[in-house]
Amino acid sequence: MWDLRILVLLSFILQVILSIFGGRRKYISSRWINSVLVWSAYIMADWVATVALGKLSDAQDNHEKNNVLWAIWAPLLLLHLGGPDSITAYSLEDNQLWMRHLMGLAVQLFVAIYVILMSWKNSWFSFMTIPALIAGIIKYGERTWVLKSVSEDKYLHRIPLGDLRDKYPTDGHDYVRVLVVAHNHLRNFLNYLESEGCDLGVAYDLWVNMETNILWDALEVQMGLVFDLLYTKATVIYSKGAFIRRCISFGCTVTVLLGLIFQIVLLKTREDDEENWHEIDIAVTWVLAVGALALEIYAAIVIFSSNWGMLWLISQGKKEWVTWLSQRFPWLFNKKKNWSQMMGQFDLLGYYIKLKEPDVQSSSRKIIRSLLGKWNRYQHKTAYPCITLARKHKTACFVHPRVYNTILELSDRHYDSRISDSLTCELNEIWKIVGYPGKDAFLGLVKRVHLATEICYRLEMEWDAGGEDDPSRINSSSWKQNREVSKALSDYMMYIVIMHPSLLPNIGPLRVLEWDLRTPERLIGDARDINTACRNLLGREREELIELIDGSIRPISRIVRHLKGNEKAKRWEIIKLMWLRTLHTATRGDTGFDQINRHFQQLRRGGEFLTLIWLINPPHVGV
């Protein structure tokens, strides 16, 4: 029965992988971990445990091979089918399959009981299968209940712990304040989404006059809280009933382990069927029992040290405990990551130039690249080979603090009123040239603003050499910050268009972008460097040609001429405001509600920076 032993051990290994990496998906953006390791373990876990249970039930017909140890394996496999607390669903669609899991619970429970009854011996050790079965039922039942509670958007009104607004401390440790703000804003945000447009002003009550670091940390914690609600057992494990179930499950696991120790160490030689206690089966049972206890302890530590665990303590009036724990063990509590904190970058003109470079790769590397390209197209479900190729040239970087500070301006509901009238008029004039909404919708908007930003960024030194700006009148610190922030936001929004267009409202037909990526020479001519490409885009003869080919490129030279007529400080302030308005449009468009599940899907891939902005600035909210 080596096949049965291998299946049982494989099932346990898959549970270890899911326990360790299931919850870490929220801050790991690696495709190999999220889309290969975790996905493979998630898909295989149920299948392996189910097949192993079937093998056990078939083995009962052969009484010569039958032994009581196998009866312990059956409920432990049921425990595996319940899965770890750190992952109940791989994607949002899995939550809709709760009825299938309920039927699976009934069938697998019947099989497990059948195995136990058929393996029953006239021995006290047979009774050890009962606590193992209880633990398995608790785990599997919890998973099914969580899937049901999150399905069909029920998570919008199933926020654990109630309203903690009265628990907010006006002073004290920042970690407690961050947790309370994050939880209260999450409650109001989800209530807002459920009502599809009611006033969210109450959600901003705690934000007034709040320090920047508190506000930003609260937003990041909120992303982690949403992930836990959608993909883990957070909706059911932070309550008194869950605590009781955990104690029962833990006690049952300890009982099985103690019974195994007592039987093998003290009573094995006294059993009449000693010949059926194979050394390998004993070793497998040890691994399962000790491993189950280790996973229970690990799960308890994760539950207690999580942000939800700390919020539960706050709800019980134990804020001082949270403060002490966060100060004593910061690495375990308030220093944990809640999302990947990565900001993808894609330079469209830089990609055009790379496409024109000669390919010096070996034949074997080309074959591997081709195979990976096919796999990549499958993963992203797109039929655009050029866009798929472009994805290989994307880069990622950590979000710069200056970008953080700029984005927080979106949370200020009165930010627009503090912009000077002249700056507002200039911005509105350029926005008319940008022409959103248009026939090519958001894709054209991002491409036009991205290329205009790139031209200003690359050709500015040439303009300065002509004496068009007086450096003595420029605040070097201010314009340089706005310049770098604008460049980062520009490349990020182009990255979103390439990698995650579903996050954008009314993106428009991607075949226009596909055409650009396939034939870059029609836009940049024979340019071999980015500066030449920028000059070609601005050339009048080139522009006339582009007008006939691609209407989305036509206004670029007009936008650049407007920007070029301003001094540096004002120019980059306008460009920064253009990108803030673009982000505002991306998260507050008329179709903003269509992106709810798409944003939440990104949480299992490390989270997306645009989702963080969406949490600050939900659709139809603000000025």
Side-chain angles (χ1 to χ4, degrees):
M1 299 295 291
W2 277 102
D3 54 347
L4 175 59
R5 295 160 183 160
I6 292 174
L7 285 172
V8 170
L9 290 176
L10 179 59
S11 178
F12 171 71
I13 293 172
L14 293 174
Q15 293 304 308
V16 173
I17 293 174
L18 292 175
S19 296
I20 294 175
F21 293 102
R24 285 176 166 82
R25 292 184 298 161
K26 64 181 174 184
Y27 60 81
I28 295 178
S29 59
S30 170
R31 180 182 302 164
W32 290 105
I33 292 179
N34 293 334
S35 299
V36 178
L37 181 64
V38 177
W39 178 78
S40 300
Y42 183 83
I43 293 297
M44 291 178 62
D46 287 359
W47 177 83
V48 170
T50 301
V51 172
L53 273 173
K55 287 280 186 180
L56 278 173
S57 63
D58 290 341
Q60 307 317 309
D61 296 331
N62 190 338
H63 295 284
E64 294 181 358
K65 294 183 178 179
N66 193 352
N67 68 63
V68 72
L69 284 177
W70 292 356
I72 291 289
W73 295 1
L76 290 179
L77 286 170
L78 197 65
L79 191 69
H80 293 173
L81 285 167
D85 297 336
S86 58
I87 177 171
T88 55
Y90 178 79
S91 63
L92 288 180
E93 291 79 7
D94 294 324
N95 293 311
Q96 310 305 322
L97 303 177
W98 68 270
M99 184 65 73
R100 179 185 298 180
H101 283 271
L102 180 61
M103 293 298 296
L105 171 59
V107 172
Q108 304 303 345
L109 178 59
F110 173 80
V111 174
I113 293 175
Y114 173 78
V115 172
I116 291 172
L117 293 177
M118 295 300 294
S119 302
W120 196 273
K121 303 290 184 181
N122 294 323
S123 168
W124 71 273
F125 187 72
S126 294
F127 288 94
M128 291 296 100
T129 59
I130 297 177
L133 183 64
I134 293 174
I137 293 174
I138 290 175
K139 284 287 188 177
Y140 206 166
E142 273 190 343
R143 182 187 182 188
T144 305
W145 177 251
V146 169
L147 293 173
K148 180 181 183 300
S149 65
V150 179
S151 64
E152 299 177 357
D153 298 339
K154 293 186 178 70
Y155 61 87
L156 294 177
H157 49 81
R158 287 187 62 87
I159 308 301
L161 308 180
D163 191 350
L164 299 181
R165 189 177 300 272
D166 60 334
K167 306 292 183 180
Y168 178 73
T170 55
D171 53 10
H173 196 265
D174 287 351
Y175 181 53
V176 178
R177 302 170 66 195
V178 164
L179 289 175
V180 176
V181 170
H183 183 269
N184 278 285
H185 184 260
L186 175 61
R187 288 186 71 253
N188 288 282
F189 182 80
L190 294 184
N191 288 336
Y192 166 80
L193 294 181
E194 183 183 17
S195 62
E196 297 190 355
C198 292
D199 184 23
L200 191 66
V202 67
Y204 289 90
D205 291 348
L206 291 178
W207 292 26
V208 179
N209 300 321
M210 184 174 296
E211 302 93 323
T212 299
N213 63 313
I214 298 291
L215 176 55
W216 193 262
D217 288 347
L219 288 167
E220 293 190 327
V221 167
Q222 184 177 341
M223 284 188 73
L225 295 179
V226 176
F227 171 88
D228 293 337
L229 287 178
L230 297 177
Y231 300 106
T232 74
K233 294 182 180 178
T235 55
V236 300
I237 59 179
Y238 296 98
S239 64
K240 292 182 179 179
F243 178 75
I244 294 173
R245 290 194 299 271
R246 282 294 173 278
C247 290
I248 295 174
S249 176
F250 185 81
C252 289
T253 306
V254 171
T255 301
V256 172
L257 182 59
L258 292 177
L260 183 64
I261 293 173
F262 188 74
Q263 174 68 35
I264 293 176
V265 175
L266 299 179
L267 299 180
K268 177 186 173 184
T269 56
R270 304 179 190 176
E271 294 290 340
D272 295 333
D273 61 344
E274 180 183 350
E275 64 278 3
N276 287 332
W277 287 68
H278 303 293
E279 295 296 333
I280 295 176
D281 290 338
I282 292 175
V284 171
T285 309
W286 273 114
V287 170
L288 293 179
V290 174
L293 183 61
L295 290 179
E296 285 281 349
I297 295 173
Y298 176 77
I301 294 173
V302 171
I303 290 172
F304 179 71
S305 63
S306 68
N307 289 328
W308 281 109
M310 295 298 97
L311 283 167
W312 181 82
L313 286 178
I314 293 173
S315 69
Q316 302 300 311
K318 305 295 183 181
K319 292 193 291 285
E320 64 280 1
W321 290 19
V322 178
T323 299
W324 182 84
L325 288 169
S326 63
Q327 292 174 338
R328 184 68 178 83
F329 308 102
W331 55 272
L332 190 59
F333 295 95
N334 60 333
K335 297 299 182 183
K336 293 188 300 186
K337 293 176 66 175
N338 293 284
W339 70 295
S340 66
Q341 299 179 346
M342 302 295 288
M343 184 177 178
Q345 301 282 278
F346 187 87
D347 181 352
L348 187 60
L349 290 182
Y351 173 72
Y352 287 161
I353 299 301
K354 286 183 179 180
L355 277 185
K356 300 171 75 67
E357 295 176 355
D359 192 348
V360 296
Q361 294 184 2
S362 65
S363 299
S364 60
R365 288 180 63 86
K366 290 180 181 179
I367 294 174
I368 294 174
R369 188 181 68 176
S370 176
L371 292 175
L372 289 177
K374 292 180 181 179
W375 181 83
N376 199 22
R377 286 196 295 274
Y378 173 78
Q379 283 297 106
H380 293 284
K381 295 181 176 62
T382 176
Y384 305 118
C386 289
I387 293 179
T388 301
L389 178 61
R391 285 172 174 163
K392 298 177 184 179
H393 293 270
K394 72 185 186 301
T395 58
C397 61
F398 286 103
V399 182
H400 195 281
R402 290 172 183 169
V403 176
Y404 279 141
N405 295 335
T406 299
I407 294 304
L408 283 178
E409 295 174 4
L410 290 173
S411 68
D412 188 346
R413 310 182 82 184
H414 305 289
Y415 176 73
D416 289 350
S417 62
R418 290 200 288 269
I419 302 174
S420 66
D421 293 338
S422 62
L423 203 60
T424 301
C425 290
E426 188 80 21
L427 179 62
N428 291 336
E429 187 68 25
I430 295 177
W431 201 252
K432 290 179 183 178
I433 301 174
V434 171
Y436 180 80
K439 63 180 181 179
D440 53 354
F442 206 80
L443 170 60
L445 166 64
V446 173
K447 186 163 62 173
R448 284 189 282 268
V449 180
H450 171 79
L451 290 176
T453 302
E454 189 71 11
I455 291 172
C456 292
Y457 188 85
R458 299 292 180 177
L459 299 184
E460 197 168 55
M461 293 297 294
E462 298 179 12
W463 300 344
D464 293 344
E468 297 185 28
D469 279 314
D470 180 5
S472 64
R473 298 190 305 168
I474 298 173
N475 184 328
S476 60
S477 175
S478 174
W479 78 262
K480 286 182 179 178
Q481 290 182 16
N482 288 337
R483 183 174 184 262
E484 296 308 315
V485 166
S486 300
K487 172 65 173 172
L489 292 177
S490 175
D491 289 351
Y492 175 68
M493 288 305 296
M494 203 68 227
Y495 162 86
I496 289 295
V497 168
I498 295 290
M499 287 296 296
H500 306 296
S502 63
L503 295 180
L504 300 174
N506 192 23
I507 185 65
L510 291 178
R511 63 177 180 272
V512 177
L513 183 59
E514 177 194 359
W515 192 9
D516 288 347
L517 296 174
R518 180 182 295 159
T519 57
E521 60 276 358
R522 75 185 184 87
L523 299 179
I524 64 174
D526 58 354
R528 297 295 177 181
D529 61 82
I530 295 182
N531 284 16
T532 303
C534 292
R535 285 191 289 269
N536 286 350
L537 278 172
L538 288 177
R540 185 170 301 277
E541 294 181 0
R542 191 71 192 162
E543 181 186 1
E544 292 174 358
L545 177 61
I546 291 172
E547 286 186 19
L548 300 176
I549 300 177
D550 188 351
S552 68
I553 304 296
R554 183 174 55 213
I556 288 179
S557 62
R558 295 173 58 197
I559 297 173
V560 173
R561 282 199 297 271
H562 272 74
L563 294 171
K564 186 178 178 182
N566 294 285
E567 63 178 17
K568 274 188 177 179
K570 187 175 182 181
R571 178 191 307 152
W572 286 108
E573 181 68 20
I574 292 173
I575 294 175
K576 184 189 76 172
L577 291 174
M578 287 172 61
W579 282 114
L580 287 180
R581 182 170 289 189
T582 302
L583 292 169
H584 176 284
T585 305
T587 57
R588 289 167 66 175
D590 293 336
T591 59
F593 286 105
D594 294 341
Q595 278 71 48
I596 292 177
N597 286 341
R598 295 165 187 169
H599 278 289
F600 287 160
Q601 286 279 20
Q602 288 302 120
L603 296 178
R604 64 183 173 87
R605 303 187 184 102
E608 193 56 65
F609 185 59
L610 187 65
T611 301
L612 201 66
I613 300 171
W614 181 66
L615 292 176
I616 300 174
N617 194 42
H620 304 299
V621 177
V623 277

